[in-house]
Amino acid sequence: MIIAQGVAKVYDNGTQALRNINLTVKQGEVVFILGESGAGKTTFLKLLLGMEKPTAGELIVAGTSLIKPRAGDIRRLRRLTGAVFQDFKLILGRTARENVALSLRILGIGWSDNRRRSKAALAAVGLADKGDNLVETLSWGERQRVALARAVVREPRLLLADEPTGNLDGASVGYVAQMLALAVKGGATLVVATHDSRLIERLPGRVLVLEQGSLKEAPVTGREQAACGQGGIE
Ligand SMILES: Nc1ncnc2c1ncn2[C@@H]1O[C@H](COP(=O)(O)OP(=O)(O)O)[C@@H](O)[C@H]1O
Ligand SMILES: [Mg+2]
């Protein structure tokens, strides 16, 4: 699903966000990317979605080369991808359910199917009773879960989540973990940037660490260290 060879990203201002990333992720795999703030996690997810371009190397996602994408390639990739970034990009003035439903309407899903799936997705993240609420009236954690429902409801082949449990309490983390697990069960490949041991404990997956733009497999003890809290892996 993902093949990265020697991928680097230098931003226009000269910041080297990623260096020599080599990674292969198979369809259906779960990958956690740990790393301190500024390590390059968000940049890496943006590259996978074609939101930023690598400045070196080869990056292929779902068969599409993101170095020189052909017309329509990025659009095709986005149709099969669900993504939750930290700014959510929910549409204000619309309800939680409308936000989720829009994600399906773009895919051409008909009205009744759409309504059923949107309701189910909101219920899965513990927001069954908030579907009719305007998103601006929801708490931060609730908005975060609406954004996740919107990404997962599409039944994506690739699901990218950028710190999906940042600032969430324990119960909400449980819903997020459950929703991610549901996506994986549906066959999604999952790449999650997180330093939340509560999430890593709940989902079996491969743990990688970004350190100043370089990617490393977590040491064998990585999971246990992560489970002890505060990112763990040094
Ligand atoms: N648009 C940008 N322009 C220039 N530098 C950026 C941009 N986005 C991120 N960076 C820099 O790239 C590095 C990695 O950032 P980021 O990928 O956001 O890390 P993380 O998500 O792990 O906190 C940081 O040094 C950050 O300041
Ligand atoms: Mg980030």
Side-chain angles (χ1 to χ4, degrees):
M1 175 53 100
I2 299 168
I3 302 170
Q5 283 171 343
V7 167
K9 173 68 183 177
V10 181
Y11 283 108
D12 289 344
N13 67 2
T15 303
Q16 174 130 31
L18 295 172
R19 51 191 91 219
N20 192 27
I21 304 284
N22 295 292
L23 175 68
T24 303
V25 180
K26 294 197 203 90
Q27 177 69 50
E29 244 192 294
V30 176
V31 174
F32 293 104
I33 300 182
L34 280 64
E36 292 180 354
S37 173
K41 303 183 296 295
T42 299
T43 301
F44 187 60
L45 294 180
K46 284 183 172 172
L47 292 189
L48 294 179
L49 201 55
M51 289 165 72
E52 293 282 356
K53 254 180 134 178
T55 44
E58 179 59 280
L59 180 61
I60 299 170
V61 180
T64 292
S65 167
L66 293 175
I67 305 298
K68 280 198 180 120
R70 288 185 304 255
D73 276 353
I74 302 275
R75 196 164 3 111
R76 191 183 60 82
L77 178 61
R78 292 200 180 153
R79 280 181 76 89
L80 52 86
T81 304
V84 198
F85 282 91
Q86 284 158 303
D87 52 4
F88 310 155
K89 295 215 165 63
L90 293 174
I91 302 168
L92 302 181
R94 297 295 185 94
T95 66
R97 196 172 55 242
E98 284 168 341
N99 267 273
V100 175
L102 187 63
S103 161
L104 288 176
R105 217 163 80 197
I106 291 166
L107 295 180
I109 306 291
W111 186 84
S112 70
D113 241 13
N114 190 331
R115 193 177 162 80
R116 179 180 54 76
R117 281 170 65 175
S118 302
K119 281 182 87 161
L122 283 170
V125 291
L127 294 175
D129 56 343
K130 298 282 168 85
D132 292 325
N133 296 28
L134 294 175
V135 289
E136 54 266 47
T137 66
L138 301 178
S139 74
W140 191 256
E142 287 168 343
R143 289 185 205 194
Q144 204 155 13
R145 285 183 279 149
V146 172
L148 180 62
R150 184 184 56 179
V152 176
V153 76
R154 310 163 64 98
E155 297 175 359
R157 305 309 295 157
L158 174 64
L159 180 61
L160 308 175
D162 197 359
E163 308 206 19
T165 56
N167 303 318
L168 290 192
D169 58 47
S172 304
V173 173
Y175 282 121
V176 168
Q178 210 171 290
M179 194 61 164
L180 294 176
L182 200 66
V184 173
K185 206 167 153 214
T189 306
L190 177 59
V191 182
V192 191
T194 187
H195 52 253
D196 193 338
S197 54
R198 299 171 299 177
L199 190 57
I200 298 169
E201 283 163 17
R202 281 179 161 99
L203 270 178
R206 198 165 139 200
V207 181
L208 306 175
V209 189
L210 263 176
E211 242 177 61
Q212 296 177 9
S214 297
L215 194 62
K216 305 181 174 145
E217 293 274 348
V220 185
T221 55
R223 180 174 293 275
E224 294 89 76
Q225 279 184 21
C228 294
Q230 298 321 314
I233 296 163
E234 303 293 342

